């Protein structure tokens, strides 16, 4: 009996030891820690591994500028060459450095004249720029071949390209033999910019300019805006918020989609006619049933009309600030017949979305306000804009330059997704 009691006690002790061990080793949820600041920069959706592999002595500073250097030959013939090894080297005096091989015609020219121009191309001149870098000035007059205008510099003895949006006149202050290349340090004497690219605040409208950058295998165009200088750092400040913090995505189309927002606050800066035409072109690129394209657009820029629309439509007060509007209409003379006529609504809705996305990609702000099927709104818009009875306004899209107040929303909702069947 005593042996059974001893065995039982040992067994119970063993159970207690096991329970104590399990309790002592059981993982308990970590206490919730509230960070000093929950704000953090939005990461790119594609993360790269931190493992590094040596590739030797390569100048992989990405991206490189795509620039065209202008100079005069001894006989006065203008010449241009493409250069990517260039950049700002000093602020006072404002100076740039351009590295050129001694075998190039431009080297010979600049050594003689002590002057050159930097010509910054837009995307429409990417082929001209590439040709200027591929063909030697010893072999042909590239200005003549490319149909470009050689304009005598105002301040230096060097030509600039009249068609390029930005030109910088430079006077050589120093020549440095670096080995394979010679660097010409040029003091900037004057910079000329196409007037239409200068914003009201004096900054360059990069979206409209569409500069070109070089990165080994390709020339690239302007990408999505990522942040504002002297602004994005505020994510690390407890009492500050950046005015701009878009979703970052390596795919520019998806970046535009995710960053599209309903903009209701605008500056007084006017939307240029060429920008409005670009929005309309984007709208007309939308898919349409049987390729009927049953859309028509009324572009409104008159202040009085915009204000009248704002006053008479219940959800269009933002038109008081917008400097333009696009009214998307269904043209009933172009629709399908019978019951299929109503497909004009889907077609014009697709055109509307294209316009909204195009506005986002161009640095503009836009928001649509519904008209159809509310009869009183249809009558208001058709009356103010003299729209014929054969057309029905679907919506009014306010367009302008955003103040930055309106921000995109993350609308991802996994509960709305059904795979294969509901």
């Amino acid at each position: 009996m005593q042996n059974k009691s001893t065995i039982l006690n040992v067994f119970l002790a063993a159970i207690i030891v096991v329970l104590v061990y399990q309790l002592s080793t059981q993982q308990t949820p970590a206490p919730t820690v509230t960070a000093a600041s929950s704000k953090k920069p939005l990461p790119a959706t594609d993360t790269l591994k931190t493992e590094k592999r040596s590739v030797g002595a390569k100048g992989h500073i990405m991206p490189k500028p795509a620039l065209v250097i202008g100079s005069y030959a001894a006989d006065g013939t203008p010449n241009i060459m493409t250069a990517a090894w260039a950049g700002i080297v000093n602020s006072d005096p404002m100076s740039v450095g351009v590295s050129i091989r001694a075998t190039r015609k431009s080297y010979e020219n600049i050594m003689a004249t002590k002057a050159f121009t930097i010509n910054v191309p837009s995307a429409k001149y990417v082929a001209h720029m590439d040709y200027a870098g591929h063909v030697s000035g010893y072999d042909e007059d590239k200005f003549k071949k490319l149909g470009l205008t050689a304009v005598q510099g105002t301040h230096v003895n060097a030509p600039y390209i009249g068609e390029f949006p930005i030109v910088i006149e430079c006077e050589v202050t120093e020549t440095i033999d670096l080995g394979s290349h010679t660097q010409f340090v040029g003091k900037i004497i004057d910079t000329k910019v196409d007037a239409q690219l200068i914003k009201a605040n004096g900054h360059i409208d990069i979206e409209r300019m569409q500069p070109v950058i070089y990165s080994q295998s390709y020339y690239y165009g302007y990408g999505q805006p990522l942040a504002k200088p002297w602004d994005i750092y505020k994510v690390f400040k407890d009492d500050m918020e950046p005015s701009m913090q878009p979703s970052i995505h390596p795919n520019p189309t998806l970046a535009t989609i995710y960053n599209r927002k309903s903009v209701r606050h605008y500056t007084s800066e006017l939307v240029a006619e060429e920008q409005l035409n670009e929005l309309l072109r984007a709208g007309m690129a939308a898919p349409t049933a049987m390729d009927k394209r049953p859309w028509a657009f009324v572009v409104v820029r008159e202040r009085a009309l915009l204000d009248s629309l704002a006053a008479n439509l219940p959800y269009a007060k933002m038109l008081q600030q917008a400097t333009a509007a696009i009214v998307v209409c269904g043209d009933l003379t172009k629709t399908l017949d019978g019951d299929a006529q109503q497909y004009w609504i889907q077609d014009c809705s697709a055109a509307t979305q294209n316009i909204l996305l195009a506005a986002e990609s161009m640095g503009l702000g836009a928001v649509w306000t519904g008209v159809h099927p509310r009869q009183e709104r249809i009558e208001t818009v058709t009356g103010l804009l003299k729209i014929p009875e054969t057309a029905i306004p679907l919506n009014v899209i306010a367009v302008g330059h955003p103040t930055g107040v309106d921000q995109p929303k993350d609308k991802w909702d996994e509960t709305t997704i059904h795979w294969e069947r509901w």
Side-chain angles (χ1 to χ4, degrees):
M1 191 73 179
Q2 186 175 1
N3 291 338
K4 289 183 179 181
S5 177
T6 301
I7 293 172
L8 181 59
N9 289 335
V10 171
F11 180 72
L12 290 174
I15 292 176
I16 292 171
V17 169
V18 170
L19 288 174
V20 170
Y21 175 79
Q22 288 180 338
L23 288 172
S24 65
T25 59
Q26 184 177 8
Q27 292 183 343
T28 57
T32 301
V33 178
T34 303
S37 173
S38 60
K39 299 180 297 180
K40 60 182 180 180
L42 293 174
T45 55
D46 62 332
T47 55
L48 299 175
K49 294 181 179 180
T50 58
E51 181 182 354
K52 302 292 187 297
R53 181 166 62 91
S54 176
V55 295
K58 303 290 184 181
H60 289 330
I61 298 175
M62 302 294 177
K64 298 178 178 67
L67 306 172
V68 177
I69 310 303
S71 62
Y72 278 127
D75 62 359
T77 302
N79 182 60
I80 48 177
M81 67 159 282
T82 304
W85 295 4
I88 301 294
V89 296
N90 197 51
S91 59
D92 187 16
M94 181 63 72
S95 303
V96 293
V98 179
S99 294
I100 301 175
R101 290 182 182 272
T103 56
R104 303 298 296 265
K105 178 64 174 175
S106 295
Y107 170 89
E108 176 185 313
N109 294 353
I110 298 172
M111 287 294 286
T113 61
K114 303 300 180 184
F116 62 90
T117 63
I118 291 178
N119 302 265
V120 185
S122 58
K124 66 185 291 187
Y125 293 109
V126 64
H128 299 71
M129 177 199 64
D130 192 51
Y131 189 91
H134 186 70
V135 177
S136 172
Y138 285 115
D139 298 329
E140 68 179 30
D141 183 339
K142 287 182 272 188
F143 271 100
K144 183 177 180 180
K145 175 67 176 181
L146 298 173
L148 296 174
T149 306
V151 182
Q152 167 67 54
T154 308
H155 303 279
V156 302
N157 185 24
Y160 65 81
I161 303 173
E163 290 79 6
F164 279 25
I166 298 178
V167 294
I168 304 172
E169 298 185 36
C170 301
E171 178 185 276
V172 175
T173 57
E174 191 172 354
T175 302
I176 307 171
D177 184 356
L178 299 174
S180 63
H181 288 65
T182 295
Q183 184 175 71
F184 295 99
V185 177
K187 181 173 70 173
I188 296 177
I189 306 300
D190 186 45
T191 300
K192 297 175 176 63
V193 181
D194 284 356
Q196 63 181 353
L197 297 178
I198 303 176
K199 294 183 177 181
N201 60 6
H203 295 172
I204 304 299
D205 192 333
I206 300 298
E207 287 83 4
R208 291 183 69 185
M209 177 186 166
Q210 287 294 301
V212 180
I213 55 179
Y214 167 69
S215 183
Q216 292 185 299
S217 300
Y218 292 96
Y219 294 116
Y220 289 88
Y222 177 74
Q224 71 168 121
L226 302 180
K228 288 184 178 180
W230 312 110
D231 177 66
I232 191 61
Y233 80 93
K234 296 174 185 175
V235 296
F236 300 110
K237 294 286 187 178
D238 295 340
D239 57 344
M240 303 174 79
E241 287 281 356
S243 63
M244 175 186 173
Q245 193 177 2
S247 175
I248 299 171
H249 200 284
N251 183 309
T253 301
L254 292 178
T256 296
I257 292 172
Y258 297 147
N259 286 300
R260 190 215 60 80
K261 62 194 74 71
S262 296
V263 176
R264 295 180 173 85
H265 301 85
Y266 307 95
T267 70
S268 59
E269 185 178 354
L270 298 178
V271 179
E273 183 174 338
E274 66 178 83
Q275 292 176 300
L276 291 168
N277 280 327
E278 201 72 61
L279 295 179
L280 295 169
R281 183 182 290 272
M284 295 180 201
T288 165
M290 300 295 291
D291 198 29
K292 282 293 187 178
R293 311 178 197 181
W295 42 58
F297 307 91
V298 181
V299 181
V300 182
R301 292 180 293 178
E302 293 182 13
R303 185 70 266 160
L305 275 178
L306 291 169
D307 291 342
S308 294
L309 289 169
N312 290 282
L313 293 174
Y315 302 104
K317 304 307 178 188
M318 79 291 292
L319 289 170
Q320 293 175 335
Q321 293 184 34
T323 55
I326 297 174
V327 182
V328 182
C329 304
D331 186 344
L332 301 185
T333 67
K334 300 179 181 178
T335 61
L336 293 166
D337 297 328
D339 294 340
Q341 184 190 58
Q342 295 302 304
Y343 280 119
W344 74 264
I345 300 174
Q346 288 97 316
D347 293 347
C348 291
S349 296
T352 298
Q353 181 70 346
N354 272 18
I355 292 171
L356 296 174
L357 291 173
E360 176 67 34
S361 72
M362 294 163 61
L364 297 171
V367 62
W368 68 274
T369 181
V371 178
H372 177 81
R374 301 296 291 270
Q375 189 59 35
E376 71 279 7
R377 300 183 194 176
I378 293 174
E379 293 174 358
T380 294
V381 175
T382 55
L384 287 171
L385 304 182
K386 310 301 181 185
I387 296 173
E389 293 181 357
T390 55
I392 302 175
L394 178 68
N395 57 55
V396 179
I397 304 175
V399 184
H401 291 270
T403 62
V405 172
D406 305 289
Q407 297 296 322
K409 299 177 182 178
D410 184 354
K411 299 180 182 179
W412 169 259
D413 182 357
E414 199 169 359
T415 64
T416 64
I417 301 171
H418 307 276
W419 296 92
E420 319 307 346
R421 295 172 179 79
W422 187 283

